[in-house]
Amino acid sequence: MLKRLLSYFMPITIYSKRSKVSKNLEISWNKGKLVLDSENTNYSYGSLQQILRKGLQHIGFETIKTMDNILILGVAGGSVIKTLVDEIQYKGQITGVEIDAEIIQIAKDYFRLNEIQNLEIVIEDAFTFVLKTKKQYDLIVIDIFQDTVMPNFLFETFFMNSIEIILKPCGAILFNTMILNQKQNQRNEKFLGDLDAQSFTIEKIPRIEEHNELIVIKKIEIKKRIPN
């Protein structure tokens, strides 16, 4: 309790670990809340949770409640899952894909991720999972970072085509991106320009954090013509 109170004045680290995948990880009390950070950025339950909550609000909490299946690519500490379950009271199936088994253990130990009944965790590379899965999802949240680095495959046409296949008609993608320089800004603009305007509608949400750009991509339902 003392550490929690002191955290309103300065962050108090209570656990640190070096992961092979995510490098340096820290659990800290910060302003009365437990947060998970990497060396240079927040991973869960701090500003990141606020960012992704904003994206979920944009899609609509009531809309999300009606969905059957949600896919989270990049679980980390599971803050977006907690928002879905605790705030939105989502009762459908959540599948979380995370490459780093060590970070999932932290999420279970400190954030009780294992107590969520409608959650399935898959330890696997997100690209591999997307290519293998036979399911379709109403909402796909892409939140994949290694510290401040985003893998290049996320912005490749082949990956987005694969995402389109597993996204239900009228389904949505919430894509959290980080922009630290002009090159990355150009990367985002190229990515958006390469998306098929006949398949998707695209919205950029005004930033609530300087370096994070949220993109909401919605799949357009293609209606088949009835022959005369």
Side-chain angles (χ1 to χ4, degrees), residues 4 76 79 97 128 132 148 158 161 189 196:
R4 185 174 183 176
S79 58
V97 179
T128 303
K132 287 169 51 178
T148 59
F158 179 76
N161 288 344
E189 292 303 317
D196 186 353

Side-chain angles (χ1 to χ4, degrees), residues 164 169-170 196 198-200 219-225:
E164 183 181 0
C170 301
D196 186 353
Q198 293 185 334
S199 300
F200 300 109
K219 188 174 183 179
I220 299 171
E221 184 176 11
I222 301 174
K223 296 180 180 179
K224 294 182 180 179
R225 289 186 177 181

Side-chain angles (χ1 to χ4, degrees), residues 55-112:
L56 295 174
Q57 285 175 332
H58 188 84
I59 293 167
F61 283 6
E62 293 302 316
T63 297
I64 292 170
K65 277 186 181 180
T66 67
M67 295 177 174
D68 295 317
N69 291 285
I70 294 177
L71 176 63
I72 311 294
L73 299 178
V75 174
S79 58
V80 69
I81 295 169
K82 287 282 192 175
T83 299
L84 287 168
V85 173
D86 295 342
E87 295 187 43
I88 301 176
Q89 298 183 335
Y90 177 73
K91 304 297 184 184
Q93 180 63 37
I94 304 171
T95 302
V97 179
E98 172 61 54
I99 195 172
D100 190 346
E102 293 175 279
I103 208 170
I104 291 298
Q105 191 57 55
I106 290 173
K108 291 177 180 179
D109 292 343
Y110 287 89
F111 303 105
R112 300 180 178 178

Side-chain angles (χ1 to χ4, degrees), residues 17-174:
K17 182 179 181 63
R18 185 166 179 82
S19 162
K20 292 179 182 179
V21 177
S22 305
K23 303 300 191 291
N24 296 321
L25 296 170
E26 288 187 351
I27 301 287
S28 303
W29 284 106
N30 193 329
K31 293 182 173 58
K33 293 183 179 181
L34 275 181
V35 300
L36 171 63
D37 294 322
S38 65
E39 185 173 354
N40 296 297
T41 191
N42 174 244
Y43 257 21
S44 292
Y45 300 99
S47 60
L48 178 63
Q49 187 170 23
Q50 300 300 322
I51 291 166
L52 292 175
R53 182 189 286 113
K54 183 80 172 179
L56 295 174
Q57 285 175 332
H58 188 84
I59 293 167
F61 283 6
E62 293 302 316
T63 297
I64 292 170
K65 277 186 181 180
T66 67
M67 295 177 174
D68 295 317
N69 291 285
I70 294 177
L71 176 63
I72 311 294
L73 299 178
V75 174
S79 58
V80 69
I81 295 169
K82 287 282 192 175
T83 299
L84 287 168
V85 173
D86 295 342
E87 295 187 43
I88 301 176
Q89 298 183 335
Y90 177 73
K91 304 297 184 184
Q93 180 63 37
I94 304 171
T95 302
V97 179
E98 172 61 54
I99 195 172
D100 190 346
E102 293 175 279
I103 208 170
I104 291 298
Q105 191 57 55
I106 290 173
K108 291 177 180 179
D109 292 343
Y110 287 89
F111 303 105
R112 300 180 178 178
L113 212 61
N114 55 312
E115 296 180 7
I116 298 175
Q117 298 299 313
N118 57 333
L119 171 64
E120 177 191 10
I121 295 290
V122 180
I123 306 297
E124 191 167 37
D125 175 76
F127 197 0
T128 303
F129 178 88
V130 168
L131 293 180
K132 287 169 51 178
T133 185
K134 303 300 181 184
K135 290 185 179 180
Q136 283 196 311
Y137 302 89
D138 301 282
L139 171 63
I140 300 175
V141 179
I142 304 174
D143 185 38
I144 299 176
F145 297 88
Q146 291 177 341
D147 195 27
T148 59
V149 178
M150 301 189 71
N152 291 330
F153 75 81
L154 295 173
F155 301 93
E156 293 174 356
T157 301
F158 179 76
F159 179 69
M160 288 308 299
N161 288 344
S162 301
I163 288 285
E164 183 181 0
I165 291 169
I166 65 171
L167 187 65
K168 290 182 182 179
C170 301
I173 302 163
L174 177 59

